[in-house]
Amino acid sequence: MPRLPAALTKNRVFRSVVRHGFPNSNRNRSLAVFTNFFLHIHPVKVRLRAIAFRRTFYLGGLSAAAFFILTVTGILLMFYYRPSVPEAYEDMKDLEFVVSAGVFLRNLHRWAAHTMVALVFLHMVRVFFAGAYRPPREFNWVIGVVLFLLTLLLSFTGYLLPWDQLAYWAITVGTNMVKAVPSIGDDLRFLLLGGNAIGEAALLRFYVLHCVVLPLALIVLIAMHIWRVRKDGGVYLPPEEGAGGGEPGPESGEEAGEVRRE
Amino acid sequence: MPLIDDLSASSNEQELERRRFLGLVGSGALGVSVAGTAVTAVQYISPNVLYEEDTRFKVGTPDSFPVGTVLALGPQKVYVVRTEEGFFALSAVCTHLGCMTRYEADQKSFFCPCHGSRFSAGGDVVGGPAPRALPRIEVALEGGVLVVDSRKLVPPGTILKV
């Protein structure tokens, strides 16, 4: 090993972080994956058929990537945006005209939001046409539907925050639709707006829902969603031509070209 | 000596009875506290004091309105209309999905820009998706001044004669 990498890796601190050897053997390559928090959502080995682009078009991963962009840009926007009636619109305009890269971050947030809705929808379509909602993945389909609804609610709550005419009337129309919920519709609208009309209370409520409540729910459900995909043996694969059984069940044993983890 | 959590260990009737009773008390207490928390949470997010516009307001003396006037009060979302017979007021909120309508004097009708609903000068639906006429609102004369309360609805056709 050359001297610099050796100096960086052969010390107690590095050894305590990375506890396996250089990934030059199958064993160490496996260890590199399943001792890493960020990599462990993938199996150590996957079949080539499962990662072919045309199998999934990577729509789920791209949805998650859009959410990551939204989280980062959203946090950055929060440094300048104040969710109150006198300031909200002014702060939005400040982001557009006086803050360095403000217009870039705001538009990135906006386009990533539109993109995420489209990607989540396409992901759903792909899963539907692959028949991947069938047992044992039925409940993961349900989680996916909730994730889709949360995505739409995040878009809806974010819509009010610029506090311009478009925002005001869009939320007027949207919250009047809430009234259509049987028997509790009117109360639900009152709770959502924190009053009878869209005002200070509604803006603050939508801000808290948009920046805290809904993203937290989304993160927890995304974790469950991905975890269940892993437990069901990765993405759904139709039976190989000529081969017998279909996909491996949960925690099933070693298949050709696949190594068990854990 | 069986383990404490060994459920297969033989236990006498009294012990089973006690276990069932404690289980019932525990789950009952959990149920009560969950229900209490749910009720308190809904009460907490339901505001008791609203800092909203007063729905009751003065609009001026009757003689300041020439016949044919349609006064649009934006913040209160109310129209005050003076006809030959007298006064009436209409809600300016579209009955479709709650947008603010506007009066179009050349058409003598109220128009909603959101989805194209149109209402006659009397508030009846003449076009678009609106399901109901604009609600009529009470106009009262108090000490020579017209007073409107946008929360008080009156039957269609009601007119304050002056």
Side-chain angles (χ1 to χ4, degrees):
Chain A
M1 198 183 269
R3 261 167 62 196
L4 184 63
L8 287 173
T9 56
K10 291 201 169 142
N11 59 70
R12 203 170 155 186
V13 174
F14 187 87
R15 283 275 160 220
S16 77
V17 179
V18 180
R19 292 180 297 180
H20 52 78
F22 197 76
N24 51 6
S25 68
N26 268 349
R27 183 178 178 278
N28 278 339
R29 272 196 283 268
S30 300
L31 283 168
V33 173
F34 62 72
T35 59
N36 183 303
F37 175 79
F38 296 100
L39 296 180
H40 89 283
I41 60 169
H42 274 301
V44 171
K45 291 192 175 176
V46 291
R47 277 171 289 181
L48 275 173
R49 290 208 301 143
I51 54 169
F53 175 69
R54 290 181 59 185
R55 173 75 49 210
T56 61
F57 306 102
Y58 305 160
L59 288 165
L62 289 172
S63 306
F67 179 62
F68 178 73
I69 293 172
L70 285 162
T71 308
V72 173
T73 53
I75 288 170
L76 292 172
L77 293 176
M78 283 170 78
F79 282 112
Y80 282 99
Y81 177 82
R82 286 165 293 178
S84 65
V85 172
E87 283 114 6
Y89 181 76
E90 303 295 325
D91 290 349
M92 186 269 290
K93 283 291 165 199
D94 268 8
L95 276 162
E96 290 220 316
F97 294 109
V98 299
V99 177
S100 302
V103 69
F104 174 73
L105 289 171
R106 182 170 128 80
N107 285 339
L108 190 56
H109 195 74
R110 188 184 148 80
W111 285 105
H114 288 311
T115 308
M116 185 175 164
V117 172
L119 285 169
V120 170
F121 176 75
L122 290 173
H123 176 53
M124 218 167 164
V125 170
R126 202 285 302 174
V127 167
F128 180 81
F129 283 115
Y133 53 84
R134 287 173 297 188
R137 300 160 188 271
E138 291 164 298
F139 187 63
N140 219 13
W141 169 265
V142 175
I143 294 176
V145 171
V146 177
L147 283 169
F148 179 55
L149 293 177
L150 284 173
T151 307
L152 295 183
L153 283 173
L154 273 160
S155 282
F156 180 65
T157 49
Y159 208 165
L160 182 63
L161 304 185
W163 202 247
D164 52 12
Q165 284 292 312
L166 184 66
Y168 186 88
W169 296 108
I171 304 306
T172 297
V173 168
T175 54
N176 272 308
M177 287 178 183
V178 174
K179 279 188 186 169
V181 175
S183 68
I184 57 163
D186 287 347
D187 295 330
L188 211 56
R189 179 175 186 269
F190 183 80
L191 287 183
L192 199 58
L193 293 184
N196 300 305
I198 295 174
E200 188 76 59
L203 180 57
L204 187 57
R205 268 166 202 233
F206 273 58
Y207 178 75
V208 173
L209 287 173
H210 185 76
C211 300
V212 183
V213 179
L214 295 173
L216 280 181
L218 198 79
I219 287 167
V220 170
L221 283 172
I222 287 173
M224 284 174 71
H225 198 62
I226 296 174
W227 184 80
R228 287 186 89 100
V229 171
R230 269 283 278 114
K231 289 293 161 181
D232 288 333
V235 301
Y236 169 78
L237 291 174
E240 254 172 311
E241 269 175 47
E247 56 174 334
E251 303 299 316
S252 74
E254 294 183 27
E255 298 256 326
E258 189 184 37
V259 171
R260 253 185 88 100
R261 263 198 50 196
E262 280 120 13
Chain B
M1 186 68 191
L3 293 170
I4 293 169
D5 60 354
D6 187 352
L7 296 176
S8 66
S10 64
S11 42
N12 58 37
E13 281 292 299
Q14 211 187 341
E15 248 179 72
L16 277 177
E17 196 63 21
R18 182 163 57 208
R19 185 171 290 165
R20 201 173 297 131
F21 172 73
L22 288 174
L24 224 62
V25 170
S27 43
L30 185 68
V32 168
S33 37
V34 166
T37 308
V39 169
T40 312
V42 172
Q43 282 176 340
Y44 174 73
I45 59 165
S46 180
N48 297 323
V49 181
L50 299 177
Y51 300 92
E52 293 178 351
E53 294 273 345
D54 197 354
T55 58
R56 204 180 123 83
F57 53 92
K58 294 172 183 167
V59 289
T61 53
D63 51 10
S64 59
F65 289 82
V67 171
T69 304
V70 177
L71 177 66
L73 296 160
Q76 291 88 1
K77 297 180 178 173
V78 167
Y79 297 114
V80 179
V81 183
R82 170 73 160 119
T83 61
E84 287 188 14
E85 297 159 281
F87 286 90
F88 66 89
L90 292 173
S91 163
V93 178
C94 180
T95 53
H96 177 226
L97 282 170
C99 290
M100 187 73 170
T101 58
R102 59 167 182 252
Y103 182 63
E104 295 189 337
D106 51 332
Q107 308 247 12
K108 294 229 183 295
S109 62
F110 302 100
F111 178 72
C112 176
C114 284
H115 308 99
S117 294
R118 195 174 281 281
F119 303 86
S120 70
D124 295 317
V125 182
V126 290
R132 287 180 306 281
L134 294 175
R136 234 169 238 234
I137 287 167
E138 189 188 78
V139 187
L141 201 56
E142 287 177 17
V145 178
L146 293 168
V147 177
V148 173
D149 187 343
S150 61
R151 216 176 272 175
K152 287 189 183 159
L153 301 184
V154 291
T158 310
I159 281 189
L160 176 74
K161 297 210 163 67
V162 285

